[in-house]
Amino acid sequence: MSEAIPYTVDIRPDTGLNNVKLGMWLFLASEVMLFGALFAGYILLRVGSEDWPAGNSILNVPLATLNTIVLITSSVTMVMSWASLLRKSFDKYRLYMGATVLLVVVFLVIKTIEYSAKFDHHLYPSTSTFLAIYFTLTALHGLHVIGGMAVNAYLWGPGAKMWRSAPEQFTNRVEAAGLFWHFVDLVWIFLFPVLYLL
Amino acid sequence: MSLKAFHVVFITLSTLLAVGFGFWSLHDHQMHGGGAGAMTLAVLSFAVAVGLVIYGIWFLKKLKEVSFK
């Protein structure tokens, strides 16, 4: 009996998807619940507060704007890396995936600068409810960014060997990683206005 | 939903964010007596929004043979 995972490339008849994509979407559904619960917590805290500060009076909007641009650009390079594999252009894939990983590093460096500035001004999660939810949401998002970077770096480096033995399966892996990466970026697209602008 | 479809959704929401941020910057400029910074951010945001729309159209043309499913 074969021990290979079935339907990693072919479409499974009963779901209409391959197992890679179905598995990733189920995982993302659980992630929506995780972040959804935290956003709900944010709304409840804010509505229940008598004095909620404007995000831009505490946080650095220009740095966050730069980080937003970095993440949107990384989504573009991520999808281009997948499109390059669909066109059998492995060299372009390496270029775009490498750019994606570098952009993630840039995001994390900027985030570290932002956190450091807060700590230098003695602004910690225990300082206020606003900062508590700010650090909780952005740190959890940051952990997802680090996870995405690890997967993307693997697919750029040692994991790319699969392209020679099973190109279609490798392309599906990159697509699944791309779905996760887009979700992480989408969370930021909501976090940025909620925390920094409103 | 494929990565292509998710990317289109993402670019659409990013465009809306860019437009919203542009208006937020304009409002900030008017409310706080406006330095050049807020106005620059507003202009940049609207430019990014236009750029994202152009990119989205280009992307759909480039991957028109790839399924949305």
Side-chain angles (χ1 to χ4, degrees), chain A residues 39-113:
Chain A
F39 272 108
Y42 166 86
I43 291 166
L44 285 173
L45 288 169
R46 183 166 184 165
V47 168
S49 169
E50 289 179 4
D51 185 27
W52 192 265
N56 65 334
S57 66
I58 298 174
L59 305 175
N60 191 326
V61 175
L63 270 187
T65 306
L66 182 60
N67 252 352
T68 306
I69 294 168
V70 167
L71 279 192
I72 292 173
T73 310
S74 76
S75 281
V76 171
T77 55
M78 184 80 212
V79 83
M80 284 301 132
S81 71
W82 172 63
S84 301
L85 290 180
L86 292 175
R87 293 171 195 279
K88 316 286 182 210
S89 178
F90 185 71
D91 290 341
K92 277 191 177 176
Y93 159 75
R94 289 295 283 266
L95 192 70
Y96 282 122
M97 187 58 102
T100 306
V101 175
L102 279 178
L103 286 164
V104 181
V105 172
V106 171
F107 175 88
L108 289 170
V109 168
I110 293 172
K111 201 73 213 158
T112 306
I113 292 169

Side-chain angles (χ1 to χ4, degrees), chain A residues 21 25 87 175 182 197, chain B residues 1 3 7 24 62 69:
Chain A
K21 206 180 284 184
W25 276 110
R87 293 171 195 279
E175 184 179 13
H182 274 64
L197 307 182
Chain B
M1 188 193 279
L3 182 56
H7 189 65
W24 180 88
K62 186 178 169 74
K69 198 173 168 188

Side-chain angles (χ1 to χ4, degrees), chain A residues 16-17 21 25 28 56 61 65 68 71-72 75-76 79-80 82-83 86-87 175 178-179 182-183 185-186 189-190 192-193 196-197, chain B residues 1-4 6-7 9-11 13-14 17 20-21 24 28 32 41 45 48 52 55 58-59 61-67 69:
Chain A
L17 298 169
K21 206 180 284 184
W25 276 110
L28 292 183
N56 65 334
V61 175
T65 306
T68 306
L71 279 192
I72 292 173
S75 281
V76 171
V79 83
M80 284 301 132
W82 172 63
L86 292 175
R87 293 171 195 279
E175 184 179 13
L179 288 171
H182 274 64
F183 172 79
D185 292 352
L186 199 59
I189 293 294
F190 284 97
F192 174 58
Y196 291 81
L197 307 182
Chain B
M1 188 193 279
S2 70
L3 182 56
K4 175 187 173 181
F6 200 9
H7 189 65
V9 171
F10 177 76
I11 292 298
L13 288 170
S14 299
L17 174 68
F21 184 62
W24 180 88
D28 193 46
H32 299 103
L41 273 180
S45 299
V48 167
L52 283 170
Y55 163 76
W58 173 83
F59 175 77
K61 281 183 185 168
K62 186 178 169 74
L63 266 74
K64 64 182 172 190
E65 76 281 6
V66 179
S67 167
K69 198 173 168 188

